[in-house]
Amino acid sequence: EADVVLAVGTRLAETDLYTSDPLELRGELIRVDLRSAADPRHPAALAVCADAAEVVSVLAERCTPRRGWRSAAGSAAGVRERIEASLEAPARGMLTALVAIRSALPDEGAVFSDMTQIAYLGNYAFACDRQGLWHHPSGYGTLGYALPAALGAKVAAPQRAVLALVGDFGLQFTLHELGTAVEAGLSLPIVLWNNAALGQIRDDMLASGIAPLGVHARNPDFVALALAFGARGVRVADAAALASAVRSALQYPGPTLIEVAAGGFTAP
């Protein structure tokens, strides 16, 4: 409903919005980006080819600060409450797990997430009050990203708390990096959200009236695999146990795989 929309550093593409439906912009679009290529679904009335940080800094100097969310939608807190109240049981379980993970991490702790449903929710719901806390492979949507990315972050900043958040299929793309983490002696919690499927693809198939195909496979015993690599492995079934396991893993001189069975995870 806005008269003008200022889009900075985004093409408003499908991979940015996580939906194939274009935004219904009623007003004019001003787009600021280093690249001139734009999403044809969102034609800009004015395209500024420039560095986003420089443009925003200049705009900030010329704007008068205001307090509060000036929108017909109401306060951000109110919007969030309405969204979370509408979540169905599976999403509430994932939200509870995300809150538990956040509570167990120090304020500066970083999460590297994979292509998994709990991370898609985390893109919205994981609490970040500073930059550099949540890292997700947006764009290419790379399965297997979380574990090697978390390893790199931990090697680069060994004193910082780092956590990998993965799904059962994504972990198997780079599972061998558990051995690397063991060799390096890295204190790294690896939270495995195990829904025994390519869950999002399965759910999209069902929503489209398609019988699920190629989205279920026989999973290994992940805890046993972790032990075989020389890492620790534990299973948890509720938020309190998950938070406790993450805190313990941050103190252990090596990686800890924390398996959460999505179907049995209890949430209030």
Side-chain angles (χ1 to χ4, degrees):
E1 297 178 356
D3 297 321
V4 177
V5 174
L6 176 64
V8 182
T10 174
R11 291 191 301 136
L12 300 177
E14 187 174 338
T15 50
D16 297 325
L17 300 174
Y18 267 73
T19 174
S20 58
D21 299 325
L23 297 175
E24 296 182 5
L25 301 178
R26 301 182 185 180
E28 292 190 331
L29 173 65
I30 300 174
R31 182 176 169 273
V32 179
D33 200 271
L34 267 179
R35 299 191 301 172
S36 59
D39 187 335
R41 302 178 308 166
H42 303 100
L46 175 63
V48 180
C49 188
D51 181 82
E54 294 180 4
V55 172
V56 171
S57 296
V58 172
L59 289 176
E61 292 173 358
R62 289 160 170 75
C63 292
T64 302
R66 293 177 175 175
R67 293 186 177 275
W69 180 314
R70 300 174 63 87
S71 167
S75 70
V79 172
R80 179 178 287 272
E81 287 175 4
R82 292 196 294 274
I83 291 172
E84 295 179 359
S86 69
L87 295 178
E88 297 180 352
R92 288 201 304 274
M94 289 186 281
L95 180 60
T96 301
L98 289 167
V99 171
I101 291 169
R102 188 69 189 93
S103 71
L105 286 173
D107 289 345
E108 74 284 357
V111 175
F112 289 80
S113 59
D114 219 283
M115 299 301 291
T116 176
Q117 286 178 313
I118 189 172
Y120 306 152
L121 180 63
N123 287 336
Y124 150 76
F126 190 78
C128 293
D129 55 6
R130 65 186 73 183
Q131 63 184 9
L133 303 186
W134 179 263
H135 304 266
H136 184 75
S138 295
Y140 285 113
T142 311
L143 276 161
Y145 163 83
L147 181 52
L151 285 176
K154 189 65 178 176
V155 169
Q159 301 307 314
R160 188 179 188 187
V162 174
L163 179 143
L165 178 61
V166 298
D168 47 304
F169 271 62
L171 176 61
Q172 293 180 78
F173 275 71
T174 49
L175 181 65
H176 51 282
E177 298 298 356
L178 264 173
T180 306
V182 171
E183 291 175 359
L186 299 176
S187 298
L188 180 66
I190 303 160
V191 176
L192 167 62
W193 186 258
N194 188 352
N195 58 13
L198 283 162
Q200 190 60 54
I201 300 174
R202 174 203 60 202
D203 293 350
D204 289 345
M205 284 179 165
L206 291 171
S208 300
I210 302 171
L213 177 66
V215 292
H216 297 101
R218 179 181 176 85
N219 274 337
D221 183 329
F222 289 105
V223 170
L225 270 176
L227 297 174
F229 274 108
R232 286 202 310 176
V234 297
R235 291 187 177 93
V236 298
D238 58 47
L242 174 56
S244 177
V246 171
R247 293 189 185 100
S248 175
L250 291 172
Q251 302 302 317
Y252 181 72
T256 302
L257 187 138
I258 305 167
E259 182 178 359
V260 185
F265 189 78
T266 56

